[in-house]
Coordinates of all heavy atoms in Angstrom, one line a residue:
M827 N -11.2 4.1 -13.6 CA -11.0 3.7 -12.3 C -11.0 4.9 -11.3 O -10.2 5.8 -11.6 CB -9.7 2.9 -12.2 CG -9.2 2.4 -10.9 SD -10.2 1.0 -10.3 CE -9.8 -0.3 -11.5
P828 N -11.8 4.8 -10.3 CA -11.8 6.0 -9.4 C -10.5 6.1 -8.5 O -9.7 5.1 -8.5 CB -13.0 5.7 -8.5 CG -13.1 4.2 -8.5 CD -12.6 3.8 -9.8
E829 N -10.3 7.2 -7.9 CA -9.2 7.3 -7.0 C -9.3 6.3 -5.8 O -10.4 5.9 -5.4 CB -9.1 8.7 -6.4 CG -8.7 9.8 -7.4 CD -8.6 11.1 -6.7 OE1 -9.1 11.3 -5.6 OE2 -8.0 12.0 -7.4
C830 N -8.1 6.0 -5.3 CA -8.1 5.0 -4.1 C -8.8 5.7 -2.9 O -8.6 6.9 -2.6 CB -6.6 4.7 -3.8 SG -6.5 3.7 -2.3
E831 N -9.6 4.9 -2.3 CA -10.4 5.5 -1.1 C -9.5 5.8 0.1 O -9.9 6.5 1.0 CB -11.6 4.6 -0.7 CG -11.2 3.3 -0.2 CD -11.2 2.1 -1.2 OE1 -10.9 2.5 -2.4 OE2 -11.4 1.0 -0.9
L832 N -8.2 5.2 0.1 CA -7.3 5.5 1.2 C -6.5 6.7 1.0 O -5.7 7.1 1.9 CB -6.4 4.2 1.4 CG -7.1 2.9 1.6 CD1 -6.1 1.8 1.8 CD2 -8.1 3.0 2.8
L833 N -6.6 7.3 -0.2 CA -5.7 8.4 -0.6 C -5.5 9.5 0.4 O -4.4 9.9 0.7 CB -6.3 8.9 -1.9 CG -5.6 9.8 -2.8 CD1 -5.9 9.3 -4.3 CD2 -6.1 11.2 -2.7
K834 N -6.6 10.0 1.0 CA -6.4 11.1 2.0 C -5.6 10.8 3.2 O -4.9 11.6 3.7 CB -7.8 11.6 2.4 CG -8.5 12.3 1.4 CD -9.7 13.1 2.0 CE -10.4 14.0 0.9 NZ -11.3 13.3 0.0
K835 N -5.6 9.5 3.6 CA -4.9 9.2 4.8 C -3.6 8.3 4.6 O -3.0 7.9 5.5 CB -5.8 8.4 5.8 CG -6.9 9.2 6.3 CD -7.8 8.5 7.3 CE -8.8 9.4 7.9 NZ -9.8 8.7 8.8
C836 N -3.3 8.1 3.3 CA -2.2 7.2 3.0 C -0.8 8.0 3.1 O -0.7 9.1 2.6 CB -2.3 6.7 1.5 SG -1.0 5.7 1.0
A837 N 0.1 7.3 3.9 CA 1.4 8.0 4.1 C 2.2 8.1 2.8 O 2.9 9.1 2.6 CB 2.2 7.1 5.1
F838 N 2.1 7.2 1.9 CA 2.8 7.3 0.6 C 2.2 8.5 -0.2 O 2.9 9.3 -0.6 CB 2.7 6.0 -0.2 CG 3.3 6.2 -1.5 CD1 4.7 6.1 -1.7 CD2 2.6 6.5 -2.7 CE1 5.3 6.3 -2.9 CE2 3.2 6.7 -3.9 CZ 4.6 6.6 -4.0
F839 N 0.9 8.5 -0.3 CA 0.3 9.5 -1.2 C 0.6 10.9 -0.6 O 0.7 11.9 -1.3 CB -1.2 9.3 -1.3 CG -1.8 10.2 -2.3 CD1 -1.7 9.9 -3.7 CD2 -2.4 11.4 -2.0 CE1 -2.2 10.7 -4.7 CE2 -2.9 12.3 -3.0 CZ -2.8 11.9 -4.3
N840 N 0.7 11.0 0.7 CA 0.9 12.3 1.4 C 2.4 12.6 1.7 O 2.7 13.4 2.5 CB 0.0 12.4 2.6 CG -1.4 12.5 2.2 OD1 -1.9 13.5 1.7 ND2 -2.2 11.4 2.4
D841 N 3.2 11.9 1.0 CA 4.7 12.1 1.0 C 5.3 12.0 2.4 O 6.2 12.8 2.8 CB 5.0 13.5 0.5 CG 4.6 13.7 -1.0 OD1 4.7 12.7 -1.7 OD2 4.1 14.7 -1.4
Q842 N 4.8 11.0 3.2 CA 5.3 10.9 4.6 C 6.3 9.8 4.8 O 6.7 9.5 5.9 CB 4.1 10.7 5.5 CG 3.2 12.0 5.6 CD 1.9 11.7 6.2 OE1 1.5 10.6 6.4 NE2 1.1 12.8 6.4
L843 N 6.6 9.1 3.7 CA 7.6 8.0 3.8 C 9.0 8.7 3.8 O 9.2 9.7 3.3 CB 7.5 7.1 2.6 CG 6.6 5.9 2.9 CD1 5.2 6.3 3.1 CD2 6.6 4.9 1.7
A844 N 9.9 8.0 4.5 CA 11.3 8.6 4.8 C 12.0 8.9 3.5 O 12.6 9.9 3.3 CB 12.1 7.7 5.7
N845 N 11.9 7.9 2.5 CA 12.7 8.1 1.3 C 11.8 8.1 0.1 O 11.7 7.1 -0.7 CB 13.7 6.9 1.2 CG 14.7 7.0 2.3 OD1 15.4 8.0 2.5 ND2 14.9 5.9 3.0
M846 N 11.1 9.2 -0.1 CA 10.2 9.2 -1.2 C 11.0 9.2 -2.5 O 11.9 10.0 -2.7 CB 9.3 10.5 -1.2 CG 8.3 10.5 -0.1 SD 7.0 9.2 -0.3 CE 6.0 9.8 -1.7
P847 N 10.7 8.3 -3.5 CA 11.5 8.3 -4.7 C 11.2 9.4 -5.6 O 10.1 10.1 -5.5 CB 11.0 6.9 -5.3 CG 9.7 6.7 -4.8 CD 9.6 7.4 -3.4
G848 N 12.1 9.7 -6.5 CA 11.9 10.8 -7.5 C 10.7 10.5 -8.4 O 10.1 11.5 -8.9
H849 N 10.4 9.3 -8.5 CA 9.2 8.9 -9.4 C 7.9 8.7 -8.6 O 7.0 8.1 -9.1 CB 9.6 7.7 -10.2 CG 10.0 6.5 -9.4 ND1 11.3 6.4 -9.0 CD2 9.4 5.5 -8.8 CE1 11.4 5.3 -8.2 NE2 10.3 4.7 -8.1
A850 N 7.9 9.3 -7.4 CA 6.7 9.2 -6.6 C 5.4 9.6 -7.3 O 4.4 9.0 -7.2 CB 6.9 9.9 -5.3
E851 N 5.5 10.7 -8.0 CA 4.3 11.2 -8.7 C 3.8 10.3 -9.8 O 2.6 10.1 -10.0 CB 4.6 12.6 -9.3 CG 4.8 13.7 -8.3 CD 3.6 13.8 -7.3 OE1 2.4 13.8 -7.8 OE2 3.8 14.0 -6.1
L852 N 4.8 9.6 -10.4 CA 4.4 8.6 -11.4 C 3.6 7.4 -10.7 O 2.6 7.0 -11.2 CB 5.7 8.0 -12.1 CG 5.5 7.1 -13.2 CD1 5.1 7.8 -14.5 CD2 6.8 6.3 -13.4
F853 N 4.2 7.0 -9.6 CA 3.5 5.9 -8.8 C 2.1 6.4 -8.4 O 1.2 5.6 -8.4 CB 4.3 5.6 -7.6 CG 5.4 4.6 -7.8 CD1 5.8 4.2 -9.1 CD2 6.0 4.0 -6.7 CE1 6.8 3.3 -9.3 CE2 7.0 3.1 -6.9 CZ 7.4 2.7 -8.2
K854 N 2.0 7.6 -8.0 CA 0.7 8.1 -7.5 C -0.3 8.1 -8.7 O -1.5 7.7 -8.5 CB 0.8 9.6 -7.0 CG 1.5 9.6 -5.7 CD 1.6 11.1 -5.2 CE 2.5 11.2 -4.0 NZ 2.7 12.6 -3.6
D855 N 0.1 8.4 -9.9 CA -0.8 8.3 -11.0 C -1.1 6.9 -11.3 O -2.3 6.6 -11.6 CB -0.1 8.9 -12.3 CG -0.3 10.4 -12.3 OD1 -1.2 10.9 -11.6 OD2 0.5 11.1 -13.1
L856 N -0.1 6.0 -11.3 CA -0.3 4.6 -11.7 C -1.2 3.9 -10.7 O -2.1 3.2 -11.0 CB 1.1 4.0 -11.8 CG 1.1 2.5 -12.2 CD1 0.6 2.4 -13.7 CD2 2.5 2.0 -12.2
Y857 N -0.8 4.0 -9.4 CA -1.5 3.2 -8.4 C -2.7 4.0 -7.8 O -3.8 3.5 -7.7 CB -0.5 2.9 -7.2 CG 0.6 2.0 -7.7 CD1 1.8 2.5 -8.0 CD2 0.4 0.6 -7.7 CE1 2.9 1.7 -8.4 CE2 1.5 -0.2 -8.1 CZ 2.7 0.3 -8.4 OH 3.7 -0.5 -8.8
C858 N -2.4 5.2 -7.2 CA -3.4 5.9 -6.4 C -4.6 6.4 -7.2 O -5.7 6.5 -6.8 CB -2.8 7.0 -5.7 SG -1.2 6.5 -4.8
R859 N -4.3 6.9 -8.4 CA -5.3 7.5 -9.2 C -5.9 6.6 -10.3 O -6.9 6.9 -10.9 CB -4.8 8.8 -9.9 CG -4.3 9.8 -8.9 CD -4.0 11.2 -9.6 NE -3.5 12.1 -8.6 CZ -2.2 12.4 -8.4 NH1 -1.3 11.8 -9.1 NH2 -1.9 13.3 -7.5
R860 N -5.3 5.4 -10.5 CA -5.8 4.6 -11.6 C -6.1 3.2 -11.1 O -7.2 2.7 -11.4 CB -4.7 4.4 -12.7 CG -4.7 5.6 -13.5 CD -3.9 5.4 -14.8 NE -3.3 6.7 -15.2 CZ -2.5 6.8 -16.2 NH1 -2.0 5.8 -16.8 NH2 -2.0 8.0 -16.5
D861 N -5.2 2.5 -10.4 CA -5.5 1.1 -10.1 C -4.9 0.7 -8.7 O -3.8 0.1 -8.6 CB -4.9 0.2 -11.2 CG -5.4 -1.2 -11.1 OD1 -6.2 -1.5 -10.2 OD2 -5.0 -2.0 -12.0
N862 N -5.7 0.9 -7.7 CA -5.2 0.6 -6.4 C -5.1 -0.9 -6.1 O -4.5 -1.3 -5.2 CB -6.0 1.3 -5.3 CG -7.4 1.0 -5.3 OD1 -7.9 0.1 -6.1 ND2 -8.2 1.6 -4.4
K863 N -5.8 -1.7 -6.9 CA -5.8 -3.1 -6.7 C -4.4 -3.7 -6.9 O -4.1 -4.8 -6.4 CB -6.7 -3.8 -7.7 CG -8.2 -3.4 -7.6 CD -8.8 -4.0 -6.3 CE -10.3 -3.5 -6.2 NZ -10.7 -3.4 -4.8
I864 N -3.5 -3.0 -7.6 CA -2.1 -3.6 -7.8 C -1.1 -2.9 -6.8 O 0.1 -3.1 -6.9 CB -1.7 -3.4 -9.3 CG1 -1.6 -1.9 -9.7 CG2 -2.5 -4.2 -10.2 CD1 -0.9 -1.6 -11.0
C865 N -1.6 -2.1 -5.9 CA -0.8 -1.5 -4.9 C -0.5 -2.3 -3.7 O -1.5 -2.9 -3.1 CB -1.4 -0.2 -4.5 SG -0.6 0.6 -3.0
A866 N 0.7 -2.5 -3.3 CA 1.1 -3.3 -2.2 C 0.5 -2.8 -0.9 O 0.0 -3.6 -0.1 CB 2.6 -3.3 -2.1
R867 N 0.4 -1.5 -0.7 CA -0.2 -1.0 0.5 C -1.7 -1.3 0.6 O -2.2 -1.6 1.6 CB 0.1 0.6 0.6 CG 1.6 0.9 0.7 CD 1.7 2.4 0.7 NE 1.2 3.0 1.9 CZ 1.9 3.2 3.1 NH1 3.1 2.8 3.2 NH2 1.3 3.7 4.1
Y868 N -2.3 -1.1 -0.6 CA -3.8 -1.3 -0.6 C -4.1 -2.8 -0.4 O -5.1 -3.2 0.3 CB -4.3 -0.9 -2.0 CG -5.8 -0.9 -2.0 CD1 -6.6 0.1 -1.4 CD2 -6.5 -2.0 -2.5 CE1 -7.9 0.1 -1.4 CE2 -7.9 -2.0 -2.5 CZ -8.6 -1.0 -1.9 OH -10.0 -1.0 -1.9
M869 N -3.2 -3.7 -0.9 CA -3.5 -5.1 -0.8 C -3.5 -5.5 0.7 O -4.3 -6.3 1.2 CB -2.3 -6.0 -1.4 CG -2.4 -6.0 -2.9 SD -1.0 -6.8 -3.6 CE -1.2 -6.4 -5.3
I870 N -2.5 -4.9 1.5 CA -2.5 -5.2 2.9 C -3.7 -4.6 3.6 O -4.3 -5.2 4.5 CB -1.2 -4.7 3.5 CG1 0.0 -5.5 2.9 CG2 -1.2 -4.8 5.0 CD1 1.4 -5.1 3.4
A871 N -4.0 -3.4 3.3 CA -5.2 -2.7 3.9 C -6.5 -3.5 3.7 O -7.3 -3.7 4.6 CB -5.3 -1.3 3.3
E872 N -6.6 -4.0 2.5 CA -7.8 -4.8 2.1 C -7.9 -6.1 2.9 O -9.0 -6.5 3.4 CB -7.8 -5.1 0.6 CG -9.1 -5.2 0.0 CD -9.1 -5.4 -1.5 OE1 -8.0 -5.9 -2.0 OE2 -10.0 -5.1 -2.2
K873 N -6.8 -6.8 3.0 CA -6.8 -8.1 3.7 C -6.7 -8.0 5.2 O -7.3 -8.8 5.9 CB -5.6 -8.9 3.2 CG -5.6 -9.2 1.8 CD -6.3 -10.5 1.5 CE -6.2 -10.9 0.0 NZ -7.3 -11.7 -0.5
L874 N -5.9 -7.1 5.7 CA -5.6 -7.0 7.1 C -6.0 -5.8 7.9 O -5.9 -5.7 9.1 CB -4.1 -7.3 7.4 CG -3.5 -8.5 6.7 CD1 -2.0 -8.5 6.7 CD2 -4.0 -9.8 7.5
G875 N -6.4 -4.7 7.1 CA -6.7 -3.4 7.7 C -5.5 -2.5 7.6 O -4.4 -2.9 7.5
R876 N -5.9 -1.2 7.6 CA -4.9 -0.2 7.3 C -3.7 -0.2 8.4 O -2.6 0.2 8.1 CB -5.5 1.2 7.4 CG -6.1 1.7 6.1 CD -6.6 3.1 6.2 NE -5.5 4.0 6.7 CZ -5.7 4.9 7.6 NH1 -6.9 5.2 8.1 NH2 -4.7 5.7 8.0
E877 N -4.1 -0.5 9.6 CA -3.1 -0.5 10.7 C -1.9 -1.5 10.5 O -0.9 -1.4 11.1 CB -3.7 -0.7 12.1 CG -4.4 -2.0 12.3 CD -5.8 -2.1 11.6 OE1 -6.3 -1.1 11.0 OE2 -6.3 -3.2 11.5
S878 N -2.1 -2.4 9.6 CA -1.1 -3.5 9.3 C -0.1 -3.0 8.2 O 0.8 -3.7 7.9 CB -1.7 -4.8 8.9 OG -2.5 -5.3 10.0
I879 N -0.3 -1.9 7.6 CA 0.6 -1.5 6.5 C 1.9 -1.0 7.1 O 1.9 -0.1 7.9 CB 0.0 -0.3 5.7 CG1 -1.4 -0.7 5.1 CG2 1.0 0.1 4.6 CD1 -2.1 0.5 4.4
P880 N 3.0 -1.6 6.8 CA 4.3 -1.1 7.3 C 4.5 0.3 6.8 O 4.2 0.7 5.7 CB 5.3 -2.0 6.6 CG 4.6 -3.3 6.2 CD 3.2 -2.8 5.9
K881 N 5.1 1.1 7.7 CA 5.2 2.6 7.5 C 5.9 2.9 6.1 O 5.4 3.8 5.4 CB 6.0 3.2 8.6 CG 5.8 4.7 8.7 CD 6.5 5.2 10.0 CE 6.3 6.7 10.1 NZ 6.8 7.4 9.0
D882 N 7.0 2.2 5.8 CA 7.7 2.5 4.7 C 7.5 1.6 3.5 O 8.4 1.5 2.6 CB 9.2 2.6 5.0 CG 9.5 3.8 5.9 OD1 8.8 4.9 5.7 OD2 10.4 3.8 6.8
L883 N 6.4 1.0 3.4 CA 6.1 0.1 2.2 C 5.7 0.9 1.0 O 4.8 1.8 1.1 CB 5.0 -0.9 2.6 CG 4.8 -2.0 1.6 CD1 5.9 -3.1 1.7 CD2 3.4 -2.6 1.8
F884 N 6.4 0.6 -0.1 CA 6.0 1.3 -1.3 C 5.0 0.6 -2.1 O 4.9 -0.7 -2.0 CB 7.3 1.5 -2.2 CG 8.2 2.6 -1.7 CD1 9.3 2.3 -0.8 CD2 7.9 3.9 -1.9 CE1 10.1 3.2 -0.3 CE2 8.7 4.9 -1.4 CZ 9.8 4.6 -0.6
P885 N 4.2 1.3 -3.0 CA 3.2 0.6 -3.7 C 3.6 -0.6 -4.6 O 2.9 -1.5 -4.9 CB 2.6 1.7 -4.6 CG 2.9 3.0 -3.9 CD 4.2 2.7 -3.2
N886 N 4.9 -0.5 -5.1 CA 5.4 -1.6 -5.9 C 6.0 -2.8 -5.2 O 6.5 -3.7 -5.8 CB 6.4 -1.0 -6.9 CG 7.6 -0.4 -6.3 OD1 7.5 0.2 -5.2 ND2 8.8 -0.6 -6.9
H887 N 6.0 -2.7 -3.9 CA 6.5 -3.8 -3.1 C 5.5 -5.0 -2.9 O 5.2 -5.4 -1.8 CB 7.0 -3.3 -1.7 CG 8.2 -2.5 -1.8 ND1 8.6 -1.7 -0.7 CD2 9.1 -2.3 -2.8 CE1 9.7 -1.0 -1.1 NE2 10.0 -1.4 -2.3
V888 N 5.0 -5.4 -4.0 CA 3.9 -6.4 -4.0 C 4.4 -7.8 -3.4 O 3.6 -8.4 -2.6 CB 3.4 -6.6 -5.5 CG1 2.4 -7.8 -5.5 CG2 2.7 -5.3 -5.9
E889 N 5.6 -8.2 -3.8 CA 6.0 -9.5 -3.2 C 6.1 -9.4 -1.7 O 5.7 -10.3 -1.0 CB 7.4 -9.9 -3.8 CG 7.3 -10.4 -5.2 CD 6.3 -11.5 -5.4 OE1 6.3 -12.5 -4.6 OE2 5.5 -11.4 -6.3
M890 N 6.6 -8.3 -1.2 CA 6.7 -8.1 0.3 C 5.3 -8.1 0.9 O 5.1 -8.7 1.9 CB 7.5 -6.8 0.6 CG 8.0 -6.8 2.0 SD 8.8 -5.2 2.4 CE 10.2 -5.4 1.3
A891 N 4.4 -7.4 0.2 CA 3.0 -7.4 0.7 C 2.4 -8.8 0.8 O 1.8 -9.1 1.8 CB 2.2 -6.5 -0.2
K892 N 2.7 -9.6 -0.2 CA 2.1 -11.0 -0.2 C 2.7 -11.8 1.0 O 2.0 -12.5 1.6 CB 2.4 -11.7 -1.5 CG 1.6 -11.2 -2.7 CD 1.9 -11.9 -4.0 CE 1.1 -11.3 -5.1 NZ 1.6 -11.8 -6.4
E893 N 4.0 -11.6 1.2 CA 4.6 -12.3 2.3 C 4.1 -11.8 3.7 O 3.8 -12.6 4.6 CB 6.2 -12.1 2.3 CG 6.8 -12.9 1.2 CD 8.3 -12.6 1.2 OE1 8.9 -12.2 2.2 OE2 8.9 -12.8 0.1
I894 N 3.9 -10.5 3.8 CA 3.3 -10.0 5.0 C 1.9 -10.5 5.2 O 1.5 -10.9 6.4 CB 3.3 -8.4 5.0 CG1 4.8 -7.9 5.1 CG2 2.5 -7.8 6.1 CD1 5.0 -6.5 4.7
I895 N 1.1 -10.5 4.2 CA -0.3 -11.0 4.3 C -0.3 -12.5 4.7 O -1.0 -12.9 5.6 CB -1.0 -10.8 2.9 CG1 -1.3 -9.3 2.7 CG2 -2.4 -11.6 2.9 CD1 -1.7 -9.0 1.3
T896 N 0.6 -13.3 4.1 CA 0.6 -14.7 4.4 C 1.0 -14.9 5.9 O 0.4 -15.6 6.7 CB 1.6 -15.4 3.5 OG1 1.2 -15.2 2.2 CG2 1.7 -16.9 3.8
Y897 N 2.1 -14.1 6.3 CA 2.6 -14.3 7.6 C 1.6 -13.8 8.7 O 1.3 -14.5 9.6 CB 3.9 -13.4 7.8 CG 4.4 -13.4 9.2 CD1 5.0 -14.5 9.7 CD2 4.4 -12.2 9.9 CE1 5.5 -14.5 11.0 CE2 4.9 -12.2 11.2 CZ 5.5 -13.3 11.8 OH 5.9 -13.3 13.0
L898 N 1.0 -12.6 8.5 CA 0.1 -12.1 9.5 C -1.2 -12.9 9.5 O -1.8 -13.0 10.6 CB -0.2 -10.6 9.3 CG 1.0 -9.7 9.6 CD1 0.7 -8.2 9.4 CD2 1.5 -9.9 11.0
S899 N -1.7 -13.4 8.4 CA -2.9 -14.2 8.3 C -2.7 -15.4 9.1 O -3.6 -15.9 9.9 CB -3.3 -14.5 6.9 OG -3.5 -13.4 6.1
S900 N -1.5 -16.1 9.0 CA -1.3 -17.3 9.7 C -1.2 -17.1 11.2 O -1.6 -17.9 12.0 CB -0.1 -18.0 9.2 OG 1.1 -17.3 9.5
K901 N -0.6 -15.9 11.5 CA -0.5 -15.6 12.9 C -1.9 -15.3 13.6 O -2.2 -15.8 14.7 CB 0.3 -14.3 13.1 CG 1.7 -14.5 13.7 CD 2.4 -13.2 13.8 CE 2.3 -12.6 15.1 NZ 3.1 -11.4 15.3
Q902 N -2.8 -14.6 12.8 CA -4.1 -14.4 13.3 C -4.9 -15.7 13.5 O -5.6 -15.8 14.4 CB -4.9 -13.5 12.3 CG -4.5 -12.0 12.4 CD -5.1 -11.1 11.3 OE1 -5.8 -11.6 10.4 NE2 -4.9 -9.9 11.4
K903 N -4.7 -16.6 12.5 CA -5.4 -17.9 12.6 C -5.0 -18.7 13.9 O -5.8 -19.4 14.4 CB -5.2 -18.7 11.4 CG -6.1 -18.3 10.2 CD -5.8 -19.2 9.0 CE -6.3 -18.5 7.8 NZ -5.6 -18.8 6.6
S904 N -3.7 -18.6 14.2 CA -3.2 -19.4 15.3 C -3.7 -18.8 16.7 O -3.4 -19.4 17.7 CB -1.7 -19.5 15.3 OG -1.1 -18.2 15.5
H905 N -4.3 -17.7 16.7 CA -4.8 -17.1 18.0 C -6.2 -17.5 18.3 O -7.0 -17.8 17.4 CB -4.7 -15.6 18.0 CG -3.3 -15.1 18.2 ND1 -2.6 -15.2 19.4 CD2 -2.4 -14.6 17.3 CE1 -1.4 -14.7 19.2 NE2 -1.3 -14.3 18.0
Ligands
SF4_1773 S1 -0.3 4.1 -2.1 FE1 -1.8 2.5 -2.4 S2 -3.1 2.6 -0.6 FE2 -2.0 4.5 -0.7 S3 -3.4 5.9 -1.8 FE3 -2.0 5.0 -3.3 S4 -3.1 3.2 -4.1 FE4 -4.1 3.8 -2.1

């Protein structure tokens, strides 16, 4: 699996989140370098665009990502 194409500009990958966890490097290996399809940030970028990713969303916050996608998708449809 190639590296995530958002890697260079991703706030998580570039340690720009306020509370980077101690296991951030593990997450980077798991999500950013191996399987971005399971990353919460990537899911939102893919469906709604990079600008819709909440600043402090972590790659493992998949449930939150799904809720955000459902919510913002329904908002977009209503316009
Ligand atoms: S955190 Fe997600 S969106 Fe960001 S570089 Fe890693 S896999 Fe890509």
